[in-house]
Amino acid sequence: MRLTVDHVTRYSYDHPVRSVVQSHRLAPANHAGQKVIEWEVTVSGGTKGSRHRDGAGDLIQAWTVAGPVTEVVVQVRGTVETEDLAGVLRGHRETVAPDCYLRDTLPTRLDVALIALADSATAADTLSLAHALSAVVSDAIAYRPGVTHAHTTAAEALALGEGVCQDHAHALIACARHRGIAARYVSGYLSANEDGSAHEAAHAWAELYIPGLGWVGFDPANRCCPDARYIRLGSGFDAQDAAPIRGIARGGGHEDMDVTVAILQAAQ
Amino acid sequence: MSQFNEMFQGADVRPPYARLQDWVGQMPQELRSLKQAEAEALFRRIGITFAVYGEGGDPDRLIPFDMFPRVFSGSEWAKLERGIKQRARALNAFLVDVYGRGEIIRAGRIPARLVYQNEAYEKAVAGFVPPKGVYSHIVGVDIVRTGPDDFFVLEDNCRTPSGVSYMLESREIMMRMFPDLFRENRIEPVDTYSDKLRRTLSSVAPAKCKGDPTVVILTPGHFNSASYEHSLLADLMGVELVEGQDLFVDGEYAYMRTTEGPQRVDVIYRRIDDAYLDPLCFRPDSMLGIPGLMDVYRSGGVSICSAPGAGVADDKAVYTYVPDMVRFYLGEEPILQNVPTWQCGKPDDLGHVLDKLPELVVKEVHGSGGYGMLVGPKATKDEIERFRAKLIEDPGNYIAQPTLALSTVPTFVEEGVAPRHVDLRPYCLVGERIELVPGGLTRVALKEGSLVVNSSQGGGVKDTWVLAE
């Protein structure tokens, strides 16, 4: 499937800021399930900084913007050819040992309810267990935007019983790690179905490490594994660690952020 | 417990201390008091004080200085030097390995969990090899002695070992107060440390750096207990002392603000923790860090010493495996021994530790500075029972070691001269070359019988001599 992405993030400041530094995980890396046809990221008034591929195989690009500015616009435009590999991440070059992702972080820390949820899944092998865990998380947390926020933890979302893709991913990661499966957060894009049923074009899901298969994606928010509608940008321990844009503005006031994302399936 | 006295064997004076016997014998009591007061005044004047955490009181408390030197013969030192350098090489090989293919883990020589789930393991630098393959550029190895030829490593400090300013200032003060001693004894100099440190740091400049590298020391600021040391080292090396706000990232490089405009920085000797280096990579709430620094580092625009992630090698649980690292990476037998260590996270070890608690020293895996530890033989029944409860609750957080009979060195005390327990921290420099200044920081437990030498727990310092052969 050929997907085109148009993703604009607009930061506005109520006072001019002296400088802005950003670290982007905004360029998809090629792997068996996705091939980048064209891709361009621009930052208004920005200078491209260093670029490297990190140990997890993500392309990291730094940007700096010299102030004073009151607005910074990050624009992503590109086209990716995708293929449905049933969630399996194949041909992705990385060096980080999967065991690293057994460590918890604040948003994925366990509590009694998460442990009970994780223990409620039963299966004969690791792959089936991963599917079962994803299913119990989907059942326990209903999709509902606006009730959780960027710093909501997996435990809090489970207590609410509602949340968005970030909460589903955190909860699945916490449950998987509790069952001894290395798990990580993935950020990317999702193209909506023709009936518009899929949620959140700027999307997030989890990858679990299955011996013999490697990393396999699970999207509890949509009760499926990533397929040709998904574009993978990068991964991390949690949402913050895997964020497509991490940035800091020096010497300014309040920051507002506005995001628009459109993912289109190109006509064949 | 028989204790090795480094000066006396029975009634005989061991050769390295021969001349000190006359020196102390001929020193009248009044002169001694005078000199001690002079030493304190000198320390006070140069401003070398030590803030004691968690004790309240005077944050500018003077660290006690004892005038009686600690002496090694040239041959004693030669063995120590070989052992320390060997350890520093193995620790760096380990770091390059665990951020690369992890061969030592694949070979089953060290458990994956200890490395990859360690809080000090930085996923962000996996796959990156710093210049010259060095992660830990200054390795502080804490060593204790129990006999003429028996040295044990207590712990390794691979991040930012402090205390080298005491080594330098103790020597300076001794030379000022007792110039005769330095004429009568052939004592190896330690004041070459700053040149060697500068050379080490310059030797790991990034490949992109052309010409003479610009080195800076990054300090958390003057509220830090080691801030005196940071400014002393900057002065001695002739480099700038900067705080996070003095540095910024632009394009592919890091710069410092100067009165003549931005100047590119090639090597950062940081004295702050990984978590505070870059809010875009680590703690987002860090006000100390430099946004974007890690991206510049990872793409080879600047070197950071010690390299982010170096801390995974000096964890107390990883310590147990350092002798294995020496064998695995260097194919050599370790010259310096570890103290036998029980890992309380292992059920068998825990059982043994709980049985023998009154005889053991128990430490927190991630603790430092002598806090949160139990010295069994010195503890009350109550303290032991309270510690037992902590151990049972979270065994993986503790290691235990036998109480060693630390060697003693004569020390000036109220009643005259008496033996007090000491340890040693030499500073091994690792860059293009591996170098060790002949000397180090000798810490002394000033309380009679005490085995805790940490300056934060009332320990003092001594000048450490290595005699030329």
Side-chain angles (χ1 to χ4, degrees):
Chain A
M1 190 180 286
R2 184 161 287 209
L3 301 177
T4 64
V5 174
D6 189 345
H7 172 198
V8 180
T9 311
R10 193 177 299 270
Y11 298 88
S12 39
Y13 305 93
D14 57 3
H15 297 298
V17 293
R18 217 169 48 227
S19 69
V20 175
V21 182
Q22 292 184 339
S23 181
H24 290 176
R25 191 179 263 107
L26 271 178
N30 287 331
H31 56 79
Q34 69 186 25
K35 190 172 160 238
V36 177
I37 308 298
E38 54 179 349
W39 199 264
E40 193 189 20
V41 179
T42 57
V43 176
S44 61
T47 312
K48 248 187 193 174
S50 49
R51 171 189 164 87
H52 70 276
R53 186 170 178 144
D54 75 4
D58 298 343
L59 301 169
I60 313 286
Q61 173 72 56
W63 286 86
T64 46
V65 181
V69 287
T70 51
E71 188 183 70
V72 173
V73 181
V74 179
Q75 182 143 33
V76 183
R77 279 203 177 117
T79 307
V80 178
E81 182 73 38
T82 59
E83 196 182 324
D84 182 1
L85 295 178
V88 178
L89 181 64
R90 196 180 302 148
H92 180 68
R93 189 157 57 85
E94 63 180 310
T95 51
V96 177
D99 277 10
C100 273
Y101 299 95
L102 283 165
R103 245 158 90 180
D104 70 355
T105 61
L106 194 61
T108 60
R109 199 146 293 167
L110 291 165
D111 70 348
V112 178
L114 277 166
I115 290 172
L117 183 67
D119 288 340
S120 72
T122 49
D125 57 77
T126 311
L127 182 60
S128 319
L129 178 59
H131 281 288
L133 287 167
S134 189
V136 297
V137 167
S138 305
D139 292 341
I141 301 176
Y143 178 79
R144 187 172 166 206
V147 292
T148 55
H149 52 84
H151 300 292
T152 301
T153 66
E156 289 163 355
L158 178 59
L160 280 170
E162 297 176 325
V164 292
C165 60
Q166 170 176 317
D167 305 304
H168 287 105
H170 280 159
L172 176 53
I173 291 165
C175 290
R177 287 177 186 161
H178 172 66
R179 298 295 298 266
I181 304 175
R184 65 186 180 188
Y185 191 97
V186 180
S187 52
Y189 300 111
L190 168 59
S191 148
N193 286 337
E194 277 133 33
D195 64 356
S197 64
H199 316 302
E200 299 172 275
H203 195 52
W205 57 96
E207 278 174 355
L208 276 59
Y209 192 79
I210 312 295
L213 272 181
W215 289 106
V216 180
F218 291 88
D219 180 6
N222 290 302
R223 295 179 181 270
C224 67
C225 286
D227 51 32
R229 297 168 301 154
Y230 290 68
I231 296 173
R232 185 185 188 280
L233 283 177
S235 68
F237 289 126
D238 53 31
Q240 179 188 288
D241 195 38
I245 302 176
R246 285 182 77 165
I248 214 163
R250 290 282 199 208
H254 180 72
E255 175 185 284
D256 271 317
M257 188 177 78
D258 179 60
V259 184
T260 57
V261 188
I263 315 293
L264 295 173
Q265 299 182 15
Q268 296 293 315
Chain B
M1 206 171 350
S2 79
Q3 288 157 351
F4 176 63
N5 186 315
E6 296 194 7
M7 179 158 172
F8 295 104
Q9 269 178 323
D12 299 334
V13 176
R14 294 182 62 247
Y17 285 86
R19 291 187 181 258
L20 288 173
Q21 171 79 328
D22 299 338
W23 173 70
V24 70
Q26 288 161 7
M27 194 188 302
Q29 172 65 34
E30 310 82 73
L31 179 64
R32 212 195 98 198
S33 314
L34 217 69
K35 287 287 185 191
Q36 193 70 51
E38 188 186 344
E40 261 172 46
L42 287 169
F43 266 112
R44 182 70 75 184
R45 191 156 72 221
I46 56 178
I48 185 166
T49 57
F50 193 91
V52 181
Y53 291 113
E55 284 184 8
D58 179 11
D60 294 329
R61 186 179 66 83
L62 209 57
I63 187 162
F65 172 69
D66 180 68
M67 299 184 296
F68 205 111
R70 196 251 186 108
V71 192
F72 290 104
S73 72
S75 60
E76 283 173 334
W77 185 259
K79 183 188 166 191
L80 275 177
E81 178 171 350
R82 282 203 314 278
I84 293 159
K85 287 180 172 175
Q86 179 191 55
R87 209 161 164 109
R89 277 190 294 147
L91 288 164
N92 273 294
F94 169 74
L95 286 163
V96 170
D97 183 26
V98 298
Y99 288 109
R101 287 182 43 80
E103 300 289 0
I104 199 166
I105 294 160
R106 289 165 195 255
R109 302 286 281 273
I110 181 165
R113 177 186 50 82
L114 274 190
V115 175
Y116 296 132
Q117 291 182 62
N118 196 307
E119 278 183 34
Y121 186 87
E122 301 292 6
K123 170 174 69 70
V125 297
F128 178 70
V129 181
K132 307 285 190 297
V134 181
Y135 269 84
S136 178
H137 307 82
I138 300 116
V139 186
V141 183
D142 289 352
I143 295 172
V144 295
R145 184 176 198 179
T146 58
D149 297 310
D150 305 310
F151 294 91
F152 292 95
V153 175
L154 270 188
E155 64 180 54
D156 306 287
N157 297 275
C158 295
R159 302 172 219 207
T160 55
S162 61
V164 77
S165 55
Y166 293 114
M167 171 183 87
L168 298 170
E169 297 291 15
S170 301
R171 174 61 55 84
E172 176 99 24
I173 282 171
M174 283 298 283
M175 290 179 77
R176 252 209 260 183
M177 294 198 305
F178 303 105
D180 291 350
L181 272 183
F182 288 82
R183 276 193 288 274
E184 291 160 13
N185 292 280
R186 291 181 56 210
I187 302 160
E188 298 274 11
V190 293
D191 60 2
T192 53
Y193 180 80
S194 54
D195 284 347
K196 289 186 157 70
L197 176 59
R198 173 79 199 256
R199 196 159 65 213
T200 299
L201 295 171
S202 297
S203 77
V204 296
K208 281 188 195 171
C209 164
K210 306 281 176 247
D212 195 22
T214 300
V215 176
V216 298
I217 298 182
L218 175 60
T219 173
H222 52 272
F223 295 113
N224 186 273
S225 69
S227 74
Y228 169 77
E229 179 160 304
H230 306 161
S231 58
L232 175 75
L233 290 175
D235 281 351
L236 291 176
M237 288 197 289
V239 305
E240 292 296 325
L241 180 67
V242 300
E243 294 181 28
Q245 67 207 30
D246 302 321
L247 297 181
F248 66 96
V249 160
D250 188 27
E252 296 181 18
Y253 297 100
Y255 296 85
M256 70 174 143
R257 298 175 219 280
T258 75
T259 47
E260 285 113 52
Q263 185 186 347
R264 205 170 105 186
V265 169
D266 303 298
V267 181
I268 299 174
Y269 174 28
R270 50 77 178 250
R271 299 288 299 248
I272 63 175
D273 290 344
D274 286 1
Y276 301 101
L277 276 175
D278 178 357
L280 298 192
C281 187
F282 303 118
R283 282 178 67 138
D285 55 342
S286 165
M287 298 304 290
L288 299 174
I290 301 110
L293 184 67
M294 285 301 290
D295 284 353
V296 172
Y297 171 71
R298 279 293 320 262
S299 56
V302 70
S303 292
I304 302 177
C305 305
S306 61
V312 72
D314 67 15
D315 179 277
K316 288 193 183 67
V318 171
Y319 154 88
T320 324
Y321 296 91
V322 178
D324 295 310
M325 294 177 198
V326 172
R327 294 184 192 102
F328 187 78
Y329 296 113
L330 310 179
E332 300 169 6
E333 273 307 301
I335 298 165
L336 290 173
Q337 303 306 311
N338 264 14
V339 180
T341 301
W342 292 280
Q343 310 239 12
C344 303
K346 294 183 186 166
D348 285 0
D349 285 18
L350 179 65
H352 174 86
V353 170
L354 291 173
D355 283 350
K356 304 271 173 178
L357 210 48
E359 300 164 27
L360 302 177
V361 176
V362 189
K363 298 175 183 171
E364 284 185 23
V365 170
H366 302 292
S368 70
Y371 294 106
M373 68 188 270
L374 175 82
V375 182
K378 303 281 168 204
T380 64
K381 271 213 166 88
D382 227 35
E383 286 168 336
I384 290 176
E385 289 317 307
R386 258 182 286 143
F387 219 90
R388 185 187 303 278
K390 286 207 280 186
L391 258 173
I392 293 168
E393 195 186 310
D394 188 9
N397 195 32
Y398 296 93
I399 56 150
Q401 295 170 335
T403 314
L404 294 180
L406 301 197
S407 62
T408 64
V409 172
T411 299
F412 290 111
V413 296
E414 215 48 49
E415 314 80 56
V417 176
R420 289 290 181 268
H421 296 290
V422 293
D423 80 347
L424 174 71
R425 175 182 286 183
Y427 300 86
C428 187
L429 298 171
V430 188
E432 200 162 39
R433 302 197 269 175
I434 301 195
E435 297 190 274
L436 188 67
V437 165
L441 170 66
T442 290
R443 297 185 296 182
V444 52
L446 293 171
K447 256 196 295 181
E448 188 175 359
S450 170
L451 295 169
V452 183
V453 296
N454 299 82
S455 42
S456 52
Q457 305 277 306
V461 299
K462 283 172 172 290
D463 190 16
T464 309
W465 294 1
V466 174
L467 301 181
E469 286 287 81

